[in-house]
Structures are given as C-alpha cells and as structure tokens.
Amino acid sequence: MEWIQLETANQIDNIKQQQGYSLIFKHSTRCSISMMAKRRFELDWDNLPQDMPLYFLDLIKHRDLSAKVAADFQVHHESPQVLLIKGGECILDQSHGAISVDETLSVLA
C-alpha cells in the first residue's frame, strides 16, 4: 500500500464526495510520537481493504489543510490523528496511542 499525499483543498472536497471508505493520516514530521504511530500503523496496513485510499497529510507543510479537515469533518485537531471517512462523514477519529489498524478494521466490519 502507498500513501496518497494530501496537498490541496480540492482533494479534501473529493474525499467528501467519494463512495466507500477513505482514511486520512495527519502527521507531524517533527514529532517522535507521530512517527511511532505512523510506523506502527504501516506495519499492519496490509490488513486494510486494498481499494481504500490512504491519504497522508503533512501538518508542518499544510496547516491550512489540517484546519479544513477539522472543520469539514467536525473533529478536534490532533496530531497524530487518523480519520476514517465514509459518505463524507468521519466515522472514526483516533489519535496518538489509540491509532490502530485493528480498531479501524472493527469499524469496517
């Protein structure tokens, strides 16, 4: 699996329109906790559906997009943070040590 770089507001608008599930991983490249959460997530991400887009948002480069994600999906900004989106709605919001592929899969089932 590979990350899709989330770099434009149009991409967020498209995620809101997509059918099925999408996942957004908000990551601070300067934070060791965020790096550990990302690494742990990537170890298990092969268990996720192969057709689910996985978006990666670099919070240092794109603070404006992070604010748009928080507003559009009505979540409190955290870092690191994983949002599972379905039908334009955030149905799972995980942050810090709670980020896990297993928890994401439990919502998908």
Side-chain angles (χ1 to χ4, degrees), residues 38-49:
K38 178 180 173 281
R39 192 170 299 128
R40 205 174 67 216
F41 191 84
E42 289 173 338
L43 285 174
D44 292 333
W45 71 351
D46 287 337
N47 296 323
L48 293 169

Side-chain angles (χ1 to χ4, degrees), residues 25-106:
F25 191 103
K26 293 170 54 180
H27 173 65
S28 172
T29 55
R30 296 182 188 155
C31 173
S32 61
I33 293 171
S34 193
M35 288 183 189
M36 285 184 358
K38 178 180 173 281
R39 192 170 299 128
R40 205 174 67 216
F41 191 84
E42 289 173 338
L43 285 174
D44 292 333
W45 71 351
D46 287 337
N47 296 323
L48 293 169
Q50 295 296 311
D51 62 344
M52 183 168 64
L54 304 176
Y55 294 93
F56 179 86
L57 177 55
D58 180 337
L59 299 175
I60 304 301
K61 287 184 184 176
H62 301 289
R63 291 186 189 276
D64 57 330
L65 296 181
S66 178
K68 179 171 175 52
V69 166
D72 286 5
F73 297 111
Q74 301 176 344
V75 296
H76 181 72
H77 163 76
E78 299 198 56
S79 171
Q81 185 175 33
V82 167
L83 305 175
L84 183 62
I85 311 299
K86 182 180 181 191
E89 302 287 327
C90 179
I91 61 169
L92 179 67
D93 175 5
Q94 303 171 320
S95 67
H96 296 82
I99 293 172
S100 83
V101 169
D102 287 342
E103 179 69 21
T104 303
L105 289 170
S106 73

Side-chain angles (χ1 to χ4, degrees), residues 7-24:
E7 298 176 321
T8 69
N10 285 342
Q11 285 177 291
I12 296 169
D13 293 338
N14 290 338
I15 291 168
K16 290 174 12 186
Q17 302 303 317
Q18 288 179 0
Q19 299 297 315
Y21 296 97
S22 298
L23 184 133
I24 300 172

